[in-house]
Amino acid sequence: MTQNSASKLLNGDTLHRTKQDKKAGGNGFVKNHCLFQQQQKRYRRPAEKSHHASRTLLYKKTFVESFEETPLLVAVLTYMGYGILTIFGYLRDFLRDWKLEKCHLAREREEQKDFVPLYQDFENFYTRNLYMRIRDNWNRPIRSVPGAKMDLVERVTPDYNWTFEHTGKVLKDVINMGSYNYLGFAENTGTCADTASECTEKYGVGVCSTRQELGNIDKHEELEKLAARFLGVESSMVFGMGFATNSMNIPALMEKGCLILSDELNHASLVLGARLSGATIRVFKHNNMQSLEKLLRDAMVHGQPRTHRPWKKILILVEGIYSMEGSIVRLPEIIALKKKYKAYLYLDEAHSIGALGPRGRGVVDYFGLDPCDVDIMMGTFTKSFGAAGGYIGGKKELVDYLRLHSHSAVYATSMSPPITQQIITSMKCIMGEDGTTLGQERLCQLSENTTYFRRRLHEMGFIIYGNNDSPVVPLMLYMPAKIGAFGREMLKRNIGTVVVGFPATPIIESRARFCVSAAHTREMLDTALNAISEVGDLLQLKYSRKNRRGSEGTDCFSYLESHLD
Amino acid sequence: MASGQQWVLVEMVQAFYEAPAYHLILEGILILWIIRLLFSKTYKLQERSDLTEKEKEELIEEWQPEPLVPLVSKDHPSLNYDVVTGFVSAVSGHISEEMNLPPSHKIIVNGKECVNFASFNFLGLLESERVKLKALSSLKKYGVGTCGPRGFYGTFDVHLELEERLAKFMRTEEAIIYSYGFATIASAIPAYSKRGDIIFVDEAACFSIQKGLQASRSFIKYFKHNDMEDLERLLKEQEIEDQKNPRKAKVIRRFIVIEGLYINTADLCPLPELVKLKYKYKVRIFLEESMSFGVLGEHGRGVTEHFGVNIDDIDLISANMENALASIGGFCCGRSFVIDHQRLSGQGYCFSASLPPMLAAAAIEALNIMEEDPGLFRVLRDKCKHVHKALQGTPGLKVVGEPLAPALHLQLENSSGSRTDDLKLLRAIVDYSLDRQIALTLARYLDKEERFLPPPSIRVVVTVEQTQEEIERAAQCIRQAAEKILK
């Protein structure tokens, strides 16, 4: 569906409209306050699950994002899989009730048996009967740096995942495709580790006070100045935990009578922060600009519900890279919308900072935009910087206000000094201020690795979600049984992957997720890819029906045939 | 009868032929009118006034948002944070050359060297060499960050060890660690309490509890601070409510959320009475022990040990590792039945990167020190009593809190009536002390966000490292300041 948007030049006088799209009738004319002279803009609906390059001049390069549709047969089989699991679940619960099967779940104390149950039975049903079957794929303990290769603690379970025992053995050199170590700064040697240990010597590990009281160490100030320079904003502030950066600062910015427009796939921390703020929350479809624009127009035309007073302010909440989809936010379009409708923009760059853009400055850099157009730049240091914590950057007024009103600044212990130092060193490395080109090399390596890994997986015939440039690579598994099988088979081949299913994803869209890192060498990626291909054949995962180079591979029908055999 | 009907029919047809044309036309129109009325939609109740596109554009054009944040004046008293550093061997005059002391007992605030009476470093572990070495060796092995949440390769063997150690230390079945102290209780409460459930909370509960309550979207009932009668009144009210609707009562979970030592008032909670109420009214108790863990009790196990309450009677205990343990993060402990639920439902646990291993290692070493030397807690208790006593009788200031509490509040005896002015006075005392090498701090609150805003106060923190002489000096300094400023 195409939508022609009318243009309005910055002076506001000239206003001409082009023909209206038939289907967007309800939406009315949509005109855009574009930064550029062009006015033709094309959108594809994500309902088609495949948006190819929006050929708009808003984008300086092609923006390819694909979400291949779930093959119908696979969807049906997936639902059947869940059906069977549920039936068996009930059966086994029945057996447990009659004490025919031993229940390993922790029980309520005898003294409190007559209390209201602490949690609901359904949640528990899912844990008992579905999650427990494949629990060994999560929480795998590691005992080394979470770098390109890691050592896992070997676990065995004597009772089908109810409990785990450590054998004392170690799975050595497992290729790590799961950690968010995009730039490979998770290291125990090198300048980062050295400076961090120097800092530990000097400052110790704790702080025991808050920023507003006596927990404002000079290192924090140094980091904040550096981060502001890194982001290209006036000022910045850092916090001790990424999750809390969202959940404790959004409430300081928004209040009752404000409107938050939030992407449907936003991270739990953004959702929590929005909820705690007391503002009205409306959700738009993932990365769908029409949906967002409709909400914006409605908000402006109708105002607050019932009273119809105009909204005090409107905040758009988006992420840079969506960690479960691998998609990149359509930032140029969002900025155009935000300017036209005078909304504010909160950009969470948890996964994109350091991982995107020629200079590693995140999505803003990736699209070549001005950081000043984003009102609130938020991000975390957990991923690309190999540390912990989060930041907020923006205008000086904003940051000053947060210094006074952020929940974190007043009530939470400030960031640990060695963590702060790790961020300073890695950030300087990315900026090239350490006098080397190591940071730049890492950035190039990451983008090279990403392209290579995505291309190869696509060629093999897997359904891969997300943007071609995103280092987060979700590979679709769909069926619940394959979640466990994939994770285990990969571990057998000495590769650590992350698999996710409901409730982190929609019920039929279980997936495996790879995070490409600059620390991965070509050999490691090849080993991983070969293993993935092998497991993919074993588990019939090559669902893609798109044209691709190389062999035709399995499509849905040959898949069916092979299953019926 | 049949012939009669036929006659009527014949007559009708006859009448039809005989009727004048205008009559027929009129009737035809009437019939059509009736049909139209029957089939047309109901009449409009109100005039719909859809906005035209132009009007919409005008509305969009007209709308002006409020600024993202209100302007902050440049000289707001809390805008410019005090900058804190540790001692570098070059700066320190009387400290031996090789020493490299972190900002802990001795601290440099804005370039002035002070004795620290403000950081929650109760056991003095912030500058412990042992903790530092353990953290360093962990750093050599694991690097700094974890690069993932617990579920996705963010679980390190150190985390498992720390959880086990905490559980063992507290003598509970299980413990779970969070990477941020504030997020611990704030995530734990909404993991259990959902919409429709009821939480009874003390009015003096700290801010992170308040955020947890808000996130849970449950009904919140505040009882007066440490007032068991008021709590019982609320519980009774609820009981009467339950009897009216027993079916609903069967699914409503109820919780009492309290702190062991209240950070806002430095009071102890009456735990034994609370446990009695728990069983009487079948309410679960969540206990936040950030101030009391590693402080109260013979072995530093907190308020349960202090009162000799069976720890299994408390459903969930949460505390942060940022005070006594002098690391970062927090933990919850209790029975596996309770705690394990958080591994899938605690938002701050599931969706956040795990605690950096070096900080977990530091916490383990701090626990070791606590286990090896329970004498620490006695020393701390004595110091607390000493400080409490030394501060008595300061003119114009009253000491608020238990003699056992390591973080006391000094409030104005006579408020000037305005919070800003009170804060100004207290701030002057803090600054006066700072000039005389005693680092104090105002207790900071978000005035608008707090449910029950505590009165302004200076917080005095006691640590085991403060010497007799330093305590006397601090008390004297505060007295002088008070005499000078609060005349």
Side-chain angles (χ1 to χ4, degrees):
Chain A
M1 195 196 327
T2 339
Q3 186 150 348
N4 290 302
S5 43
S7 70
K8 182 171 171 253
L9 296 175
L10 283 161
N11 59 25
D13 297 345
T14 30
L15 196 154
H16 84 267
R17 287 171 182 171
T18 48
K19 76 172 167 58
Q20 192 182 349
D21 179 45
K22 268 177 267 165
K23 270 216 148 171
N27 214 343
F29 286 100
V30 179
K31 54 194 183 65
N32 266 287
H33 211 137
C34 294
L35 288 168
F36 311 101
Q37 277 306 305
Q38 57 75 45
Q39 268 78 42
Q40 288 278 315
K41 215 175 187 197
R42 282 158 190 279
Y43 298 102
R44 288 259 181 124
R45 292 181 64 194
E48 287 172 23
K49 279 269 172 188
S50 160
H51 14 211
H52 275 288
S54 315
R55 263 172 233 98
T56 139
L57 290 178
L58 280 176
Y59 295 97
K60 288 182 178 150
K61 54 185 145 191
T62 50
F63 184 79
V64 187
E65 216 160 87
S66 92
F67 296 94
E68 199 176 327
E69 216 174 336
T70 311
L72 183 66
L73 180 74
V74 176
V76 171
L77 286 173
T78 308
Y79 279 121
M80 276 169 61
Y82 277 106
I84 293 166
L85 279 169
T86 312
I87 292 168
F88 267 88
Y90 278 118
L91 181 70
R92 296 189 61 182
D93 272 2
F94 175 78
L95 292 178
R96 283 183 195 118
D97 274 356
W98 287 85
K99 305 264 187 307
L100 293 171
E101 189 184 328
K102 200 176 155 209
C103 186
H104 301 271
L105 213 65
R107 291 301 179 102
E108 179 73 291
R109 276 170 95 201
E110 277 309 314
E111 293 94 318
Q112 291 183 222
K113 279 269 151 102
D114 52 345
F115 280 47
V116 177
L118 190 56
Y119 27 85
Q120 268 163 12
D121 201 48
F122 175 74
E123 272 175 77
N124 228 349
F125 178 85
Y126 184 82
T127 317
R128 262 196 318 268
N129 297 307
L130 280 80
Y131 172 67
M132 205 49 83
R133 288 166 177 272
I134 49 175
R135 191 161 84 123
D136 55 316
N137 289 296
W138 290 278
N139 303 309
R140 286 181 183 149
I142 89 171
R143 43 164 304 156
S144 69
V145 186
K149 286 190 172 181
M150 60 185 172
D151 299 341
L152 292 181
V153 176
E154 194 183 59
R155 296 189 296 184
V156 287
T157 169
D159 47 9
Y160 302 100
N161 290 349
W162 288 95
T163 54
F164 290 104
E165 283 164 15
H166 296 180
T167 58
K169 277 190 233 155
V170 178
L171 302 174
K172 280 256 176 218
D173 292 333
V174 178
I175 296 179
N176 182 357
M177 299 301 300
S179 293
Y180 308 128
N181 178 24
Y182 299 121
L183 291 180
F185 280 113
E187 296 167 319
N188 56 355
T189 51
T191 34
C192 283
D194 291 346
T195 49
S197 63
E198 252 167 55
C199 186
T200 315
E201 291 279 357
K202 201 168 154 192
Y203 291 88
V205 288
V207 185
C208 290
S209 192
T210 66
R211 288 296 296 278
Q212 284 214 351
E213 291 172 7
L214 282 189
N216 181 44
I217 297 176
D218 51 354
K219 279 281 162 207
H220 295 140
E221 304 240 322
E222 184 187 343
L223 172 59
E224 284 174 354
K225 287 199 186 92
L226 183 71
R229 213 143 44 78
F230 178 75
L231 297 166
V233 293
E234 287 176 16
S235 188
S236 84
M237 183 168 182
V238 297
F239 306 92
M241 182 197 198
F243 187 96
T245 310
N246 280 332
S247 64
M248 292 159 84
N249 286 312
I250 299 173
L253 300 171
M254 302 304 275
E255 55 183 339
K256 212 162 173 280
C258 300
L259 177 67
I260 292 178
L261 300 177
S262 167
D263 192 290
E264 62 180 343
L265 295 179
N266 272 347
H267 189 255
S269 56
L270 288 166
V271 177
L272 179 66
R275 244 186 225 165
L276 289 178
S277 72
T280 307
I281 305 164
R282 286 181 189 156
V283 175
F284 61 91
K285 287 197 191 115
H286 175 53
N287 233 348
N288 184 332
M289 293 306 113
Q290 283 163 308
S291 173
L292 173 61
E293 181 155 21
K294 183 161 186 318
L295 284 181
L296 277 168
R297 288 182 72 86
D298 284 354
M300 233 143 277
V301 171
H302 301 302
Q304 298 186 34
R306 297 199 325 128
T307 61
H308 295 288
R309 281 198 199 119
W311 294 102
K312 287 185 189 163
K313 48 195 170 188
I314 299 177
L315 184 71
I316 304 172
L317 280 187
V318 288
E319 286 184 48
I321 293 183
Y322 289 84
S323 66
M324 284 295 161
E325 307 299 301
S327 49
I328 295 177
V329 66
R330 299 172 160 268
L331 195 63
E333 291 167 68
I334 289 194
I335 287 183
L337 282 179
K338 155 213 139 110
K339 283 192 174 160
K340 172 163 193 272
Y341 294 100
K342 291 171 272 199
Y344 298 110
L345 176 58
Y346 187 106
L347 175 64
D348 175 346
E349 297 216 72
H351 286 266
S352 52
I353 192 74
L356 274 187
R359 299 180 311 136
R361 290 347 189 239
V363 261
V364 178
D365 186 28
Y366 174 76
F367 288 116
L369 299 167
D370 183 2
C372 298
D373 286 336
V374 180
D375 300 277
I376 304 144
M377 301 264 276
M378 180 271 166
T380 65
F381 298 123
T382 319
K383 282 101 187 177
S384 300
F385 301 92
Y391 65 79
I392 281 192
K395 294 244 156 50
K396 187 154 188 313
E397 299 93 76
L398 167 79
V399 176
D400 279 354
Y401 181 80
L402 285 179
R403 277 180 202 282
L404 295 178
H405 294 95
S406 161
H407 301 176
S408 182
V410 185
Y411 297 102
T413 305
S414 46
M415 192 186 258
S416 162
I419 310 291
T420 318
Q421 185 60 51
Q422 161 86 13
I423 303 163
I424 294 176
T425 320
S426 52
M427 196 178 271
K428 278 189 176 158
C429 181
I430 300 171
M431 292 165 87
E433 288 191 4
D434 59 343
T436 65
T437 53
L438 287 173
Q440 200 56 43
E441 279 160 27
R442 284 177 198 243
L443 289 170
C444 294
Q445 189 65 46
L446 175 64
S447 104
E448 216 172 273
N449 282 354
T450 303
T451 322
Y452 177 72
F453 194 74
R454 279 192 166 263
R455 183 175 54 80
R456 284 286 309 274
L457 282 181
H458 182 71
E459 279 170 16
M460 285 174 191
F462 292 104
I463 294 189
I464 304 293
Y465 272 10
N467 193 292
N468 274 5
D469 292 324
S470 136
V472 181
V473 189
L475 181 152
M476 302 311 289
L477 303 173
Y478 299 112
M479 294 170 210
K482 291 185 181 179
I483 303 175
F486 188 83
R488 287 173 199 150
E489 287 297 327
M490 289 304 284
L491 189 62
K492 261 190 218 164
R493 289 161 178 77
N494 231 22
I495 289 156
T497 55
V498 165
V499 282
V500 266
F502 181 78
T505 65
I507 196 146
I508 63 161
E509 294 181 3
S510 303
R511 60 196 70 174
R513 186 187 61 186
F514 309 103
C515 292
V516 181
S517 160
H520 289 134
T521 59
R522 187 52 72 87
E523 293 84 68
M524 287 182 206
L525 288 182
D526 281 334
T527 322
L529 283 164
N530 290 339
I532 295 166
S533 178
E534 217 177 290
V535 177
D537 287 332
L538 186 73
L539 301 177
Q540 307 286 350
L541 292 173
K542 298 181 176 174
Y543 300 116
S544 180
R545 288 171 296 180
K546 276 202 217 152
N547 286 337
R548 54 183 184 271
R549 276 189 285 154
S551 68
E552 276 303 301
T554 6
D555 62 20
C556 178
F557 299 101
S558 56
Y559 168 76
L560 173 64
E561 281 153 25
S562 63
H563 252 233
L564 292 176
D565 278 348
Chain B
M1 187 140 172
S3 66
Q5 237 173 15
Q6 203 171 22
W7 186 81
V8 172
L9 259 175
V10 171
E11 210 168 56
M12 272 176 78
V13 174
Q14 224 164 16
F16 185 76
Y17 279 118
E18 282 169 14
Y22 75 90
H23 195 265
L24 281 179
I25 289 164
L26 187 74
E27 294 217 324
I29 290 169
L30 281 175
I31 287 166
L32 285 175
W33 184 248
I34 289 167
I35 290 169
R36 206 200 133 192
L37 281 179
L38 278 177
F39 285 93
S40 74
K41 278 191 192 151
T42 47
Y43 57 89
K44 279 177 193 161
L45 274 171
Q46 68 202 72
E47 203 58 36
R48 269 178 67 97
S49 58
D50 274 339
L51 295 169
T52 62
E53 280 310 318
K54 190 154 170 272
E55 283 167 325
K56 282 187 188 173
E57 289 304 333
E58 275 168 11
L59 275 171
I60 291 168
E61 206 58 44
E62 272 168 31
W63 185 68
Q64 278 306 330
E66 281 180 10
L68 181 58
V69 289
L71 257 183
V72 179
S73 76
K74 285 242 163 15
D75 44 318
H76 191 284
S78 14
L79 182 57
N80 300 309
Y81 297 165
D82 296 324
V83 182
V84 163
T85 50
F87 286 91
V88 192
S89 38
V91 180
S92 56
H94 59 276
I95 292 172
S96 58
E97 282 298 292
E98 72 275 25
M99 291 290 259
N100 215 347
L101 283 178
S104 52
H105 172 53
K106 292 281 172 83
I107 189 168
I108 298 181
V109 185
N110 299 334
K112 275 174 243 150
E113 184 186 320
C114 299
V115 180
N116 194 344
F117 279 86
S119 307
F120 298 123
N121 176 24
F122 306 136
L123 301 179
L125 297 177
L126 207 52
E127 55 187 342
S128 156
E129 208 52 36
R130 277 178 66 184
V131 171
K132 217 190 257 183
L133 286 176
K134 188 79 186 286
L136 282 173
S137 71
S138 170
L139 173 67
K140 289 233 165 56
K141 187 171 175 198
Y142 301 100
V144 175
T146 56
C147 287
R150 286 293 293 270
F152 306 151
Y153 303 101
T155 302
F156 286 62
D157 49 356
V158 204
H159 294 139
L160 300 176
E161 189 189 339
L162 177 57
E163 283 176 352
E164 208 174 286
R165 288 295 306 279
L166 283 166
K168 214 177 104 204
F169 180 81
M170 293 297 283
R171 302 197 170 155
T172 53
E173 285 176 19
E174 197 166 341
I176 179 171
I177 51 174
Y178 282 78
S179 54
Y180 204 46
F182 188 95
T184 314
I185 189 74
S187 296
I189 294 173
Y192 305 99
S193 187
K194 308 283 179 195
R195 204 187 278 272
D197 296 340
I198 299 171
I199 308 180
F200 302 92
V201 199
D202 193 294
E203 281 183 354
C206 67
F207 196 72
S208 55
I209 292 182
Q210 292 172 37
K211 287 293 119 177
L213 300 175
Q214 204 187 337
S216 74
R217 300 192 271 186
S218 311
F219 290 115
I220 313 296
K221 299 197 170 171
Y222 284 95
F223 59 90
K224 293 211 180 70
H225 176 50
N226 271 351
D227 186 343
M228 290 304 105
E229 274 161 32
D230 196 37
L231 172 61
E232 186 151 15
R233 179 182 61 81
L234 289 174
L235 288 166
K236 272 202 184 117
E237 266 173 26
Q238 186 56 38
E239 201 177 35
I240 293 165
E241 199 68 24
D242 287 347
Q243 278 158 1
K244 281 187 210 152
N245 195 348
R247 188 180 289 179
K248 198 176 153 202
K250 250 192 240 169
V251 293
I252 299 178
R253 283 168 285 243
R254 306 117 225 264
F255 305 90
I256 298 175
V257 181
I258 42 166
E259 278 179 75
L261 253 177
Y262 286 88
I263 185 170
N264 290 351
T265 64
D267 285 334
L268 265 174
C269 68
L271 197 62
E273 280 102 287
L274 282 159
V275 172
K276 265 182 224 146
L277 288 178
K278 164 185 166 161
Y279 285 107
K280 191 167 171 199
Y281 294 96
K282 300 194 177 22
V283 199
R284 293 172 196 273
I285 295 184
F286 285 3
L287 174 62
E288 159 45 69
E289 289 222 73
S290 289
M291 283 288 131
S292 48
F293 169 77
V295 173
L296 294 182
E298 204 58 41
H299 300 92
R301 294 200 189 95
V303 72
T304 47
E305 195 185 27
H306 176 80
F307 283 115
V309 169
N310 179 6
I311 202 156
D312 282 340
D313 283 335
I314 311 298
D315 292 83
L316 179 133
I317 290 180
S318 107
N320 68 31
M321 305 190 281
E322 295 163 353
N323 301 344
L325 283 180
S327 180
I328 299 284
F331 70 93
C332 288
C333 63
R335 301 185 304 277
S336 294
F337 173 76
V338 180
I339 300 299
D340 214 34
H341 184 63
Q342 283 180 55
R343 297 199 191 272
L344 288 176
S345 316
Q347 286 212 321
Y349 177 86
C350 297
F351 297 108
S352 156
S354 53
L355 184 68
M358 63 183 296
L359 300 175
I364 292 175
E365 192 60 28
L367 267 181
N368 284 339
I369 295 174
M370 279 163 65
E371 278 182 353
E372 283 163 24
D373 184 15
L376 268 179
F377 309 113
R378 214 181 40 245
V379 175
L380 180 63
R381 232 175 342 263
D382 292 344
K383 296 250 152 104
C384 291
K385 282 183 195 148
H386 187 182
V387 171
H388 192 265
K389 212 171 131 209
L391 289 175
Q392 297 293 340
T394 313
L397 290 175
K398 59 177 181 222
V399 181
V400 176
E402 290 279 320
L404 286 172
L408 294 163
H409 291 271
L410 287 175
Q411 290 174 5
L412 288 176
E413 244 161 21
N414 305 309
S415 162
S416 60
S418 117
R419 196 176 172 89
T420 340
D421 290 346
D422 286 0
L423 278 170
K424 238 180 229 160
L425 285 174
L426 292 172
R427 192 163 179 88
I429 298 179
V430 171
D431 289 341
Y432 182 91
S433 312
L434 206 61
D435 284 338
R436 282 151 192 80
Q437 304 191 325
I438 303 293
L440 295 169
T441 182
L442 294 175
R444 308 288 183 133
Y445 305 102
L446 288 173
D447 296 9
K448 283 185 201 138
E449 313 261 335
E450 285 277 358
R451 184 71 168 66
F452 299 96
L453 184 62
S457 66
I458 296 175
R459 200 190 286 124
V460 182
V461 179
V462 188
T463 73
V464 291
E465 288 178 311
Q466 290 153 3
T467 62
Q468 205 87 342
E469 180 259 329
E470 280 164 344
I471 292 172
E472 290 303 335
R473 193 151 60 85
Q476 186 129 34
C477 175
I478 294 169
R479 199 166 301 131
Q480 279 168 7
E483 271 163 10
K484 195 155 167 274
I485 292 153
L486 305 175
K487 268 178 303 225

